[in-house]
Amino acid sequence: MTLFGLRVTLPVTLRPRQSGVGGRGEGHKKDGSAEVPARLPATVLVMPLGEVSRAQVEAIVVQHFGTGVDLEWFDRAVLRGSVARVAASLLGLWRREFAAAVLVAPDLQQSRLRITSLLLALAPARHKCRLDLRGTREPFSTPAHLAHYGAAIVRHLAACAAARVLGEPLLHLVDRVLRPRRIALRRPRRILYLRSQLWLGLAGGGSVAHTAGVIGGLEQAGVAVQVVSSDGLPGVNVPTDVIQPEMWFDGRLRELEDVAYNVAFGVAAWRTARRTPAQLIYQRHTAFNCTGAVLSRLLRVPLVLEFNSSELWKGQYWGGLHYRRVAALVERINLRAADGVVVVSEVLRTQLIAQGVGADKILVNPNAVDPLVFGPHVDGSAVRRRLGLAPSDVVIGFSGTFGLWHGIPSLAAVLPFTLEARPNVRWLLIGNGPLRRLVEEVVEEHGLHASVLLPGLVPHGEMPGYLAACDVLVSPHGRQADGGEFFGSPTKLFEYMATGRAIVASAVGQIADVLRDGETALLVPPDEPAALGAAIVRLIDDAPLRSRLGEQAREVAVARHTWRQNAERLLGSLR
């Protein structure tokens, strides 16, 4: 066969295949025979990276190699095992023969591929290449790759090593130097907004909506905002300096990258602040970044810290946090250095006071919505047509992260109940996350594919149309993982209200404070699918009730919960 212009001789061997690394994937043999043929077809070792499905990878590989090849899948999980397991897996791999090895990623421009592409160096194949889902194809040579990226690889590994060795001692030093202070607070004309999250490429979700809403509200209040961010911000139209972080790893190494990012992000924020002086620094708290704390002292300007949750709490109850001592240091530094702390709920305020944060510097400022963007004036008919929803269908909608925080177990449990009770109903579940599989399993088990739509994560700019396509909107938040009171302020709650659609929500925390049962929503106990399902069926059957609840919820959102009002509360606290 011809492979990328190179003549490849198919391996001739009677040796049966060994699973080696990752096991045998689905090949393209037509006879299905278990007998080992005298001449095996060409075998391509496939190394998938990133958030891509096996079906996507197989389609792109077959597109480039043709259908006359077998595919063998490399499982990167074996590289995270014990030394003995890794060695045995690699030895099994090196005993193999492949016509070619191919690495497939979402986008070959990703910086992490500088090091992860070296997986191809492990493959026993003469012909190697890289593909991405955009159709890009590149040949791969280990010497050429190291010649081009070797310096960057060494530099980044050195930065991670320095973060591991020096990060905690330096943070202890910062903690000793930065003390609470008394500084004059006044309404600023210009704010430097710092967003340092290593969540890149997000087009939708609560954090995206919140960031755009806060900045937009400040603009409406007449404040000039300059942003320094780790990524482009959808819905934000103010001057933004994007400082792209180097993100090559996962787990512990990702956290070290986050610690090291303080340097690049801090230098960039300093330069921006010197170029465009601001009267106040506003930073969204993250687990490992204290740029705002340091910069506010160097520039002698106030710091307001937006504290949406404790990263330590999330790490303890949701997992995923490895360097907890470092995160605890950063959290303490940021809270002590801040001249003002903004939280989204009274529960968070109470928690911070218990930790020693002065009550006089904490502002409770719930999330909000732009009623000019979300509202009854938005036409959802185009979305309904695109999704195959009939005008007569009653559509139950949900948007959010598919996690415990958003009550996904209850949501999954209620799907078959509502569809059995009212077969003409359709579900529109917008978003993605770790527990989406629970919903997919229920859909598969009960044969609900025709009635449950899962469009995935929707760009926030398209969300008004998707919510307008629904008749009932659901917010089934569950109890806190530690048994405590719900401390969140869901952005989607206010978007639901502004849309003017009927709402069914869990009676937890701020949700129960903002909504009134029977007036602006139907409230149900958390983690009780039967109650949730009964409330949904009630609204399916009662169109006048849906209309009344939606209208009254919209009125409350416009009167009390706009981003302009959110900004004015913040600015008013600074006088």
Side-chain angles (χ1 to χ4, degrees):
M1 64 182 289
T2 300
L3 180 65
F4 301 120
L6 299 173
R7 189 69 180 171
V8 179
T9 302
L10 303 185
V12 180
T13 176
L14 292 177
R15 184 174 61 226
R17 300 187 182 187
Q18 303 170 24
S19 58
V21 180
R24 172 73 177 270
E26 292 186 6
H28 298 275
K29 294 173 64 178
K30 299 184 184 298
D31 60 4
S33 170
E35 182 180 352
V36 179
R39 186 178 178 88
L40 291 177
T43 305
V44 175
L45 179 65
V46 182
M47 299 179 164
L49 297 178
E51 298 298 325
V52 291
S53 68
R54 177 166 289 200
Q56 287 177 301
V57 173
E58 184 165 353
I60 199 73
V61 171
V62 170
Q63 176 184 340
H64 288 281
F65 286 83
T67 58
V69 296
D70 275 356
L71 304 184
E72 194 99 12
W73 298 86
F74 179 88
D75 184 1
R76 288 181 298 147
V78 300
L79 299 179
R80 295 192 290 268
S82 64
V83 173
R85 182 187 175 195
V86 171
S89 299
L90 291 180
L91 184 60
L93 177 69
W94 291 331
R95 288 174 176 169
R96 302 293 312 282
E97 296 179 37
F98 298 97
V102 56
L103 182 144
V104 183
D107 183 358
L108 291 185
Q109 299 304 312
Q110 292 176 322
S111 61
R112 69 186 304 168
L113 289 176
R114 295 174 184 175
I115 194 164
T116 50
S117 290
L118 291 175
L119 286 173
L120 283 170
L122 303 176
R126 291 182 57 192
H127 307 292
K128 304 174 183 181
C129 66
R130 306 191 307 168
L131 304 174
D132 69 16
L133 301 186
R134 301 164 59 185
T136 307
R137 180 180 69 190
E138 296 178 357
F140 178 85
S141 161
T142 302
H145 186 82
L146 290 175
H148 195 267
Y149 294 114
I153 292 172
V154 171
R155 184 168 58 247
H156 187 67
L157 293 178
C160 291
R164 178 68 181 90
V165 175
L166 301 176
E168 191 171 341
L170 289 176
L171 286 170
H172 276 295
L173 177 61
V174 172
D175 186 40
R176 286 195 295 270
V177 171
L178 297 188
R179 297 290 179 178
R181 61 181 175 178
R182 291 290 180 181
I183 190 171
L185 298 178
R186 57 178 60 88
R187 184 183 180 112
R189 299 184 306 277
R190 181 180 294 276
I191 286 178
L192 176 62
Y193 184 105
L194 304 180
R195 189 267 194 191
S196 58
Q197 275 119 333
L198 266 62
W199 308 335
L200 306 186
L202 288 179
S207 65
V208 171
H210 181 91
T211 299
V214 169
I215 294 172
L218 290 169
E219 280 191 289
Q220 294 173 22
V223 178
V225 182
Q226 171 72 48
V227 176
V228 179
S229 174
S230 55
D231 197 13
L233 301 176
V236 173
N237 299 312
V238 302
T240 302
D241 293 336
V242 176
I243 314 304
Q244 193 77 26
E246 293 287 353
M247 295 168 52
W248 296 9
F249 304 111
D250 298 311
R252 290 178 177 274
L253 289 175
R254 168 64 63 83
E255 294 180 7
L256 293 178
E257 291 174 322
D258 207 343
V259 174
Y261 183 58
N262 275 273
V263 176
F265 189 79
V267 170
W270 166 264
R271 290 173 176 169
T272 298
R274 299 291 291 176
R275 183 183 71 242
T276 311
Q279 287 85 45
L280 183 139
I281 295 173
Y282 184 103
Q283 180 164 11
R284 183 181 174 98
H285 174 67
T286 56
F288 297 105
N289 196 286
C290 58
T291 294
V294 175
L295 194 61
S296 68
R297 294 312 199 269
L298 294 176
L299 298 176
R300 297 183 181 180
V301 297
L303 168 68
V304 170
L305 181 72
E306 179 187 290
F307 191 86
N308 293 300
S309 62
S310 168
E311 298 295 331
L312 291 171
W313 186 95
K314 291 194 294 188
Q316 180 177 354
Y317 292 102
W318 294 354
L321 185 65
H322 300 91
Y323 290 105
R324 295 188 178 185
R325 287 200 312 245
V326 176
L329 271 171
V330 170
E331 190 163 301
R332 185 166 71 221
I333 289 168
N334 284 344
L335 289 171
R336 291 178 64 191
D339 303 292
V341 180
V342 178
V343 296
V344 294
S345 69
E346 285 287 349
V347 177
L348 274 176
R349 179 178 185 271
T350 300
Q351 291 176 0
L352 290 186
I353 292 174
Q355 294 177 28
V357 180
D360 58 334
K361 72 175 186 179
I362 303 175
L363 169 68
V364 178
N365 206 10
N367 286 332
V369 66
D370 186 342
L372 299 179
V373 175
F374 292 84
H377 59 280
V378 178
D379 185 2
S381 59
V383 172
R384 290 178 75 107
R385 285 194 301 271
R386 186 164 67 247
L387 296 176
L389 298 168
S392 59
D393 287 337
V394 176
V395 180
I396 314 300
F398 164 87
S399 71
T401 303
F402 281 63
L404 286 174
W405 173 268
H406 289 265
I408 297 303
S410 293
L411 182 66
V414 84
L415 293 178
F417 169 81
T418 55
L419 291 171
E420 181 179 354
R422 301 295 182 268
N424 64 322
V425 166
R426 305 289 293 277
W427 278 86
L428 177 57
L429 308 180
I430 307 161
N432 212 337
L435 295 187
R436 174 168 166 155
R437 59 178 176 79
L438 291 181
V439 174
E440 293 172 337
E441 288 169 1
V442 168
V443 170
E444 183 70 29
E445 179 183 352
H446 295 273
L448 305 178
H449 299 89
S451 300
V452 179
L453 303 177
L454 292 158
L457 189 65
V458 170
H460 194 253
E462 299 178 19
M463 189 60 71
Y466 274 80
L467 296 186
C470 302
D471 300 289
V472 178
L473 294 167
V474 180
S475 181
H477 287 78
R479 294 181 176 88
Q480 294 292 89
D482 63 350
E485 192 173 353
F486 182 81
F487 60 75
S489 176
T491 305
K492 71 179 177 189
L493 172 66
F494 304 100
E495 294 174 351
Y496 284 5
M497 294 171 69
T499 300
R501 300 298 190 265
I503 300 170
V504 178
S506 298
V508 293
Q510 191 180 96
I511 296 175
D513 295 333
V514 171
L515 298 175
R516 289 289 179 265
D517 185 37
E519 297 179 14
T520 54
L522 295 184
L523 297 181
V524 299
D527 303 318
E528 293 191 16
L532 178 65
I536 293 172
V537 170
R538 180 183 172 190
L539 289 178
I540 293 171
D541 294 341
D542 195 338
L545 177 60
R546 295 202 305 264
S547 179
R548 177 172 64 83
L549 293 178
E551 290 174 0
Q552 293 178 175
R554 163 80 181 179
E555 291 174 1
V556 172
V558 172
R560 304 176 191 170
H561 302 293
T562 69
W563 285 119
R564 172 66 184 269
Q565 293 163 337
N566 178 282
E568 291 292 354
R569 284 192 293 269
L570 168 63
L571 297 171
S573 72
L574 301 175
R575 295 171 181 165

